[in-house]
Each structure stands twice: as C-alpha cells, then as structure tokens.
C-alpha cells in the first residue's frame, strides 16, 4: 500500500472544468494502476477511470465523453480532468491505486487517498 | 453499466454472523472472479477487505470471508464486533476494462 494525496479546487462553477491531481510516493508511479473514484455525499461509489502509462487509459463509459486522465511520471502525479460539470458532479473524489503485480482486470484498489470534496455551484 | 445491487442495510448482534449480498449480471459478477469488497467508516476512505471473490489482504481478520454463486457475490462477517459497523461496498470487473461498484450496505451492530 502507498499513501496518496488528492489536490485541487473545492469549488467549480457549472459548465466549467474540474481538474484534480493525485500525488503518489516517489518510485511507485509505474507500479500501480491509478484510478479515480467518486462518491456523492451520502451515496455510493462510482468508478471514473484509470491510467497507468502515458498512453493507457480506461474510462467509465458513462463519463468517457467528458474526462481525460494522464500521468506525469516526473512529478509522481496523475490527474483527472472532467469537462462541462453540473451539480450532479458534486462529490468526494478519491484517487486509488491497484498494484500492477495483478492482472490488469483483477487488480484490487489497495491504496486510497483521503478524498477531496468538490462542489459544483455558481 | 448499472450499479450492483446490495441490501441497503443489515444488522446483527455482537458475536453473530451477517452476510451481505451483491447481485450483478452475467456480464460482470457472473462472468469474472474479480469481485472485491471495501469497508468504509464514516468520513474516511474505503479500505480493501476482500479481493478476487475470496482473498483476504494481509491484516484483514479471518472473520471476513467472501464467496460467489452465479451472478451474486457475498461477504460474510462472523463473530461480529462493534468496530465492524461501517458501510460495505462490492466492486466487480465488468469487462472492457471497466469496473462497477455496488450501491453500498450499512452494517449496524446492535
């Protein structure tokens, strides 16, 4: 397990773009599949997507048209961009890692950040 | 890609056993042995407690066990303790490199 830390604005206006960053420990960026998960307050978890190399990304089909994820190995960070946000995107956003010692489709999320609350409001 | 179905709440007394079900479809839970379970205490991040249907990560008590039959996975907690009171979420691989979570179950230890 590794310690993760999300960062970004806590307030975004409707129709604008939400950008979050997750900082991971030095040396671990290439050892995990890096995921974003969100949780509206009082509701369940929703998988948003993951990235694990500069060109390897997988997205939730329901969000695919609005999201971009990327890795910055030099900064030990991975990021989420969610475009055209609405109030329905208000949630706690978690970054989470799944060890790449597992097969791509089975890797469980064993490392989580503390989460960051993002509110979409004018 | 619909959320997996979990009971909204379950309860049990200390020392008892409870089972939380997680029902999906033949495209997710039924198709793959890649179901994981997460425990989430109020205000904190989820914690992995079961992977690959029934594997317990190091440090997770053997009171927690997982199983699967057809399109339904289950988490059983035996010898309930007060600290088990949490929300529990299942998660399944859904094919095409996508994953789906359950809606969550609130466990109350009476």
């Amino acid at each position: 397990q590794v310690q993760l830390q999300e960062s970004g604005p806590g307030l975004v206006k409707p129709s604008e773009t939400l950008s979050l960053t997750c900082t991971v420990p030095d040396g671990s960026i290439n050892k995990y599949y890096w995921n974003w998960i969100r949780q509206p307050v009082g509701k369940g978890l929703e998988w948003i997507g993951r990235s694990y190399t500069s060109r390897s990304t997988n997205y939730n089909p329901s969000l695919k048209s609005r999201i971009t994820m990327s890795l910055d190995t030099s900064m030990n960070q991975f990021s989420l961009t969610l475009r055209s946000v609405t109030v329905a995107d208000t949630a706690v956003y978690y970054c989470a890692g799944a060890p790449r010692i597992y097969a791509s489709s089975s890797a469980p999320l064993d490392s989580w950040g503390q989460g960051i609350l993002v509110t979409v409001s004018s | 890609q619909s959320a997996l179905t979990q009971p909204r709440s379950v309860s049990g007394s200390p020392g008892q056993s409870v089972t939380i079900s997680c029902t999906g479809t033949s495209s997710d839970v039924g198709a793959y042995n890649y179901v994981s379970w997460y425990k989430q205490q109020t205000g904190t991040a989820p914690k992995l407690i079961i992977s690959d249907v029934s594997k317990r990560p190091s440090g997770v008590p053997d009171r927690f066990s997982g199983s699967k039959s057809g399109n339904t996975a289950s988490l059983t907690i035996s010898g309930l303790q007060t600290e088990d009171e949490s929300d529990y979420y299942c998660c399944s691989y859904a094919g095409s490199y996508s994953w789906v979570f359950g809606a969550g179950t609130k466990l109350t230890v009476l």
Side-chain angles (χ1 to χ4, degrees):
Chain A
Q1 299 178 9
V2 294
Q3 298 260 32
L4 310 179
Q5 181 66 58
E6 303 91 347
S7 59
L11 181 65
V12 182
K13 289 182 168 56
S15 81
E16 295 191 344
T17 296
L18 179 163
S19 295
L20 297 175
T21 298
C22 182
T23 301
V24 311
D26 193 20
S28 66
I29 194 77
N30 293 317
K31 297 180 179 179
Y32 284 79
Y33 303 103
W34 300 109
N35 294 257
W36 289 98
I37 293 97
R38 69 180 182 179
Q39 184 174 36
V41 175
K43 296 188 178 180
L45 300 167
E46 179 182 31
W47 179 76
I48 299 172
R50 73 172 188 179
S51 61
Y52 53 101
T53 72
S54 60
R55 286 179 291 181
S56 298
T57 56
N58 307 114
Y59 298 145
N60 185 322
S62 68
L63 297 168
K64 187 174 184 176
S65 64
R66 297 196 291 132
I67 58 177
T68 302
M69 293 183 183
S70 62
L71 252 60
D72 185 337
T73 55
S74 65
M75 295 291 290
N76 295 311
Q77 293 178 333
F78 67 104
S79 64
L80 166 68
T81 299
L82 177 62
R83 296 174 291 276
S84 304
V85 299
T86 71
V87 293
D89 294 311
T90 294
V92 175
Y93 285 75
Y94 293 100
C95 58
R100 289 180 65 179
I101 59 172
Y102 289 84
S104 180
S105 50
S106 73
L109 302 167
D110 76 349
S111 302
W112 292 70
Q114 64 186 19
I116 182 170
L117 174 61
V118 178
T119 301
V120 178
S121 174
S122 55
Chain B
Q1 196 179 45
S2 299
L4 306 175
T5 301
Q6 297 182 234
R8 179 164 290 189
S9 64
V10 297
S11 63
S13 300
Q16 290 185 333
S17 294
V18 296
T19 296
I20 299 171
S21 61
C22 169
T23 301
T25 70
S26 57
S27 297
D28 40 58
V29 175
Y32 309 97
N33 288 323
Y34 299 145
V35 176
S36 52
W37 289 89
Y38 300 86
K39 174 183 178 182
Q40 185 181 35
Q41 295 178 296
T42 303
T44 68
K47 174 190 172 185
L48 176 69
I49 56 172
I50 294 286
S51 66
D52 292 349
V53 174
S54 60
K55 296 179 181 177
R56 275 180 293 104
S58 173
V60 175
D62 60 6
R63 303 185 296 103
F64 293 86
S65 62
S67 62
K68 192 188 89 166
S69 178
N71 296 337
T72 298
S74 298
L75 171 71
T76 298
I77 309 171
S78 58
L80 268 180
Q81 300 181 4
T82 54
E83 58 261 38
D84 297 333
E85 187 161 291
S86 292
D87 293 327
Y88 290 85
Y89 293 90
C90 60
C91 179
S92 175
Y93 181 61
S96 301
Y97 297 112
S98 69
W99 285 261
V100 61
F101 280 94
T105 298
K106 181 177 180 61
L107 168 63
T108 300
V109 180
L110 303 169

